[in-house]
Structure formats: structure tokens, C-alpha cells
Amino acid sequence: MGSRSSRRWSWTSALVGAVSATAAAGVLAAKPRDPAFQLISISLTSFTLHFPVLDADLILTVHVTNPNVVPIEYGPSTMSIFYDGSLLGTAALEAGAQPSRSCQVVRLPARLDGIQLAHHASRFFADVARREMVLDAAVEINGTAKLLRWAHRFRALVNSRVTVDPVFLDVIDQDNRSVIQLA
């Protein structure tokens, strides 16, 4: 049999072990995760005639998920929308906040430039005939994630490729990629 002191229970050791395990679990849970974005719908709100072309005003409805254990606040930003490699329009993202581990729906007002679309008329009409149009979008969102008294700045870079039906504005397919960079 071993000595009695080698089998003695130590509350101090148990407490240090429990605190260490809790801290390690907290660090793993607090590791920043990339947010998720999904375009739910596109709604046409108006046309503006700039003879001979039309500009279109839209509302992009986006489902945003914050998988992180901390709430975030972000400043205003502008999403750039591209068609066939050319800037077609922009969408405005207002400043806001999102609680930790939550989802919310955000509506982004967007304007598409008919003149830019006219530069790609042959491709656009081919896309309308196929009822499939590919748009790319990019946005940089700057904000802070707050944990107790500490505020950490971040930058989220979001790139999306969305295939839509140009006739009914239905979302057919999408690939959204986001990356968080801590500042």
C-alpha cells in the first residue's frame, strides 16, 4: 500500500482543476466564428426612368446568424453588387446590433443602375431567356464584439454569389462566404 499522503484529497487541487477546465471551455466557446448570411428574397419597389434605361430600387431581405457567444455592434456599410464583373448597384446596411447566438432578418434597400445593365444587354437578355442571372456581392462590415468590459474590434468580409430568376426575382442558388478578422 502506498503512503496515506499520496491518496489524500486536495480541495485546492480540485478547485484549480475545475477553474482551469472552465477557463479552457470558455476560451473554446468564445473563439470567434464567422457569421452566416442567406438572401431570402428580392422585392422590386420602384423603377426610375433615365431615358433610355430604367434604374431599379429593390429590397434585399437577408437572414443573418451570429453564432458567437458575444453580442456585436456594427457601423453602417455599403454592399457592392456586381453583374458580369461590373458594378451594377449598391445596397445600404444601416448601423445596428445583434445579440449573441441569434438570428435576425435585415432588409437592405438597393439600387441597380440601368445604364450599367445596358452595357451588358446581350448577356442580360440571354440570362432572361434562360431565367437565370448570376450576381456577385461584396461588403465589409466593421464593428465591435463586447464581452463584459472588453470591446474587441472586428471586420467581417462577406462575398456572395447569388443566382436569381431575373423575371420573378426568385433566389435560385447562393454561395455566401464570410470571414471575421479581429483588429
Side-chain angles (χ1 to χ4, degrees), residues 52-110:
V53 294
L54 294 170
D55 290 342
D57 291 324
L58 309 166
I59 298 291
L60 307 177
T61 304
V62 180
H63 182 260
V64 182
T65 302
N66 175 12
N68 295 293
V69 296
V70 296
I72 58 171
E73 294 179 4
Y74 51 88
S77 189
T78 301
M79 175 188 293
S80 299
I81 302 168
F82 299 91
Y83 177 66
D84 198 25
S86 297
L87 181 64
L88 180 60
T90 58
L93 173 65
E94 295 181 6
Q98 185 161 347
S100 64
R101 294 187 176 161
S102 68
C103 301
Q104 67 183 14
V105 174
V106 179
R107 288 174 175 70
L108 308 175

Side-chain angles (χ1 to χ4, degrees), residues 3-55:
S3 72
R4 193 156 172 66
S5 64
S6 67
R7 287 188 267 151
R8 192 177 301 184
W9 178 259
S10 170
W11 283 103
T12 305
S13 296
L15 183 59
V16 168
V19 169
S20 298
T22 302
V27 166
L28 291 175
K31 179 183 175 192
R33 295 187 191 114
D34 295 337
F37 300 87
Q38 180 181 13
L39 179 63
I40 298 171
S41 67
I42 303 170
S43 304
L44 181 65
T45 57
S46 69
F47 284 116
T48 306
L49 178 62
H50 292 285
F51 191 76
V53 294
L54 294 170
D55 290 342

Side-chain angles (χ1 to χ4, degrees), residues 157-174:
L157 306 170
V158 182
N159 291 298
S160 301
R161 174 159 278 201
V162 181
T163 304
V164 299
D165 176 342
V167 176
F168 294 112
L169 298 178
D170 292 330
V171 178
I172 298 169
D173 190 29
Q174 60 187 301

